[in-house]
Amino acid sequence: MSVTVICLSHADGALGREVGQCVADALGFRYADEEIVMAAAREKGLYPESVALAETRGVGRSLEVDFGRHERTETLRDLIRGAVGATAAEGSVVIVAHAASYALAGRNDVLRVLVTASPDTRAARLAAAGGLNARGADKELAESDKGRAAYLQRFYGVNNELPSDYDLVLNTDRLLPAAAAAVIVDVAAALSALPN
């Protein structure tokens, strides 16, 4: 089994995007994050901002996607899932976010990774990045985690994200992005060496 797609899910403050970029650089893979939304929008000639908004809105909602043109959130979510699948089909890609690990769970060429860190570490990073005090960082972290849980429930019916939903879970409390990326690269190589 050759790993051609790495899906990297992450909690805010866990340095997931940085880890994903390091993995892409190390493997010579393409890095895809916002590209997913852009591809979904291009599919139907929509504004990317409208498609991105569908990731945060509830079921059964209608969003204005162009002047006077509306689409249901479910339609826009289907576009996002389709863009994740199309991006994976091209291979040699690290897909960050968009619950790609769930969208591509049935594929053998995918390594599904969760990058996380302790709440204290994540809050400290959010505080440093956003110039927040401890209370503000804790509030932002709680809202982010709540939004992430709601996203997984809306898109994939996941009521409780589990470590077993992933092939590899990394804690970046101590691992810097390059070190975490090296672990991912090693696991991808080990899986690729396994017989089909």
Side-chain angles (χ1 to χ4, degrees):
M1 167 186 86
S2 180
V3 173
T4 63
V5 180
I6 296 175
C7 297
L8 199 149
S9 298
H10 64 94
D12 275 359
L15 305 178
R17 285 187 170 86
E18 294 86 344
V19 172
Q21 188 62 64
C22 288
V23 172
D25 292 345
L27 292 174
F29 280 16
R30 191 166 42 109
Y31 175 93
D33 184 350
E34 297 308 316
E35 173 186 326
I36 299 296
V37 171
M38 300 295 282
R42 270 194 312 274
E43 177 73 20
K44 294 288 184 184
L46 306 173
Y47 289 117
E49 297 83 4
S50 299
V51 175
L53 195 57
E55 291 189 302
T56 64
R57 294 297 189 251
V59 174
R61 301 277 308 267
S62 181
L63 297 173
E64 186 169 3
V65 294
D66 201 348
F67 297 106
R69 180 177 168 198
H70 290 78
E71 292 284 352
R72 299 196 53 79
T73 54
E74 290 81 2
T75 301
L76 299 174
R77 289 188 188 125
D78 286 343
L79 290 174
I80 293 167
R81 284 188 285 265
V84 167
T87 300
E90 295 172 12
S92 299
V93 65
V94 176
I95 303 174
V96 176
H98 309 288
S101 291
Y102 290 96
L104 303 173
R107 292 178 55 138
N108 288 332
D109 62 340
V110 173
L111 173 60
R112 299 170 303 144
V113 180
L114 174 64
V115 176
T116 191
S118 68
D120 288 345
T121 297
R122 294 170 53 219
R125 289 174 180 160
L126 289 178
L132 303 170
N133 61 26
R135 175 181 271 175
D138 287 342
K139 181 180 177 187
E140 187 171 312
L141 190 64
E143 289 173 4
S144 170
D145 288 349
K146 183 178 175 183
R148 176 178 163 74
Y151 181 94
L152 292 175
Q153 203 289 321
R154 281 193 307 266
F155 268 69
Y156 296 100
V158 175
N159 293 318
N160 188 22
E161 182 181 27
L162 299 171
S164 57
D165 294 340
Y166 301 92
D167 303 309
L168 177 64
V169 178
L170 290 171
N171 178 340
T172 61
D173 277 355
R174 295 175 56 192
L175 290 175
L176 294 176
V183 172
I184 295 168
V185 168
D186 286 349
V187 170
L191 288 175
S192 293
L194 293 175
N196 289 335

